[in-house]
Amino acid sequence: MQKHGLVRKRTLAVEELQEIAALAALCQEREGIAVRLLWEMLRSRSGQVTNDFLYYEDGQLLGYLALYSFNPREAELTGMVHPDRRRQGIFSLLFRLANQELRSRGVPRILLFFDRNSLGAQGFAQAVKARYHNSEYRMVRELESAPLRVERQDGVRIRPARADEAPLLTHITARAFEMTEDRALLAETTRDITSPRRVTLVTEVAGEVVGLIRYIDDEDEAFIYGFCMLPEHQGKGYGRQTLAWTVEHVLRRRPRRIALEVDTTNEGALALYRSCGFEITTTFDYYEVPVG
């Protein structure tokens, strides 16, 4: 029986993942718009709550919306509609249902994010009176990039994190990103250390853990995130050595593209990533809107 109308999902089947990928590819081909889909999360939904909303007509996927919940205070939201079916209320329907879902969970805030080149997404953000929050560059290091050459510093060691280090890494992350050191952040750190498809590495200097870097271990692309150093250890070359070592580590495990995202105002990080062969491919804008 053909799918028709709205479908709410707690987990996504292989066929649905393929339909989502095909719709994203069509938007990219027709309009040059990148849809930021976190495939590792889409493939491994917990099944406990509804995070995916799909809209079909006569078996064809015409609209899709995804929620990503990294902490109980907010949910990130992105989606897309078939280029031939814009301005027909499809995304507004998906958004209303996602809003209801988040309200039932007690999540107070939505962060919409989308490719800056998407005029439709910009119009939608204005329509729901969303407030601009920040922008990030997606940066990619392709396989054909030149090999990195970084002089090793004595006393610096980069190794996999241990599960018992979750409180320490939570503290480092909170200080580096000026975040609250709470249960949600500890739970997220613990998940990242223990997840089979995520890798957390720590940087030791003279036996002291001073920073960390994480990446999602996917087939075609490794996605780096959560890269930080304690403020008092920044500007000493440890970050560059950690990033270069991680690039080598990723490529030894499996040759593939490496990507990351960085705030457009973070000039220091941008310079570091460029020096390691990363190039800007997309600008994503984030807009904030209250749930309900």
Side-chain angles (χ1 to χ4, degrees), residues 25-267:
L26 179 65
C27 293
Q28 175 79 45
E29 178 186 351
R30 294 267 294 272
E31 302 173 302
I33 295 171
V35 182
R36 181 174 174 264
L37 298 170
L38 305 183
W39 290 107
E40 188 264 350
M41 292 189 69
L42 298 186
R43 296 188 192 104
S44 57
R45 292 298 204 188
S46 68
Q48 297 176 354
V49 293
T50 301
N51 279 317
D52 299 283
F53 302 82
L54 304 90
Y55 182 82
Y56 292 87
E57 284 187 4
D58 299 323
Q60 181 182 10
L61 180 65
L62 297 179
Y64 171 64
L65 183 150
L67 295 175
Y68 304 113
S69 299
F70 299 103
N71 62 68
R73 298 179 298 274
E74 65 187 22
E76 296 187 10
L77 181 155
T78 192
M80 55 190 164
V81 173
H82 192 290
D84 295 337
R85 297 299 304 274
R86 302 278 167 78
R87 297 183 177 276
Q88 297 180 20
I90 293 175
F91 197 78
S92 294
L93 169 64
L94 297 173
F95 181 77
R96 284 198 302 272
L97 294 170
N99 206 314
Q100 292 170 10
E101 170 67 24
L102 293 174
R103 189 165 63 244
S104 72
R105 295 188 215 168
V107 177
R109 184 174 76 150
I110 295 171
L111 279 179
L112 306 170
F113 64 93
F114 50 82
D115 187 333
R116 179 174 289 177
N117 293 325
S118 175
L119 298 179
Q122 290 180 16
F124 181 80
Q126 292 176 1
V128 297
K129 297 181 172 57
R131 182 170 61 90
Y132 174 76
H133 188 269
N134 71 298
S135 298
E136 290 185 343
Y137 292 131
R138 172 178 165 85
M139 302 185 75
V140 175
R141 191 179 194 278
E142 299 290 355
L143 272 175
E144 59 270 20
S145 300
L148 288 175
R149 290 180 173 82
V150 179
E151 186 175 340
R152 305 296 184 187
Q153 294 174 273
D154 292 338
V156 178
R157 178 188 177 208
I158 297 151
R159 61 165 175 81
R162 301 189 307 267
D164 63 358
E165 292 177 310
L168 172 61
L169 302 190
T170 299
H171 173 71
I172 292 173
T173 300
R175 285 197 58 204
F177 291 114
E178 300 181 350
M179 300 168 62
T180 303
E181 193 174 335
D182 56 14
R183 291 182 181 178
L185 184 58
L186 176 60
E188 182 180 338
T189 303
T190 303
R191 177 207 66 191
D192 288 347
I193 295 174
T194 58
S195 172
R197 296 190 67 88
R198 295 170 185 253
V199 177
T200 300
L201 304 169
V202 300
T203 304
E204 282 185 347
V205 178
E208 177 191 1
V209 177
V210 302
L212 66 144
I213 189 168
R214 304 172 171 122
Y215 70 88
I216 296 173
D217 189 17
D218 220 335
E219 292 294 329
D220 300 324
E221 176 182 282
F223 183 79
I224 290 174
Y225 68 104
F227 177 27
C228 60
M229 294 283 153
L230 284 169
E232 60 268 28
H233 290 284
Q234 295 173 9
K236 299 179 180 180
Y238 303 145
R240 179 173 171 79
Q241 185 162 332
T242 299
L243 180 61
W245 193 95
T246 302
V247 168
E248 293 176 357
H249 176 78
V250 166
L251 296 178
R252 281 197 304 270
R253 289 169 68 106
R254 189 184 312 113
R256 63 208 131 142
R257 181 177 63 245
I258 305 173
L260 52 83
E261 291 171 5
V262 57
D263 194 281
T264 57
T265 63
N266 192 338
E267 295 295 338

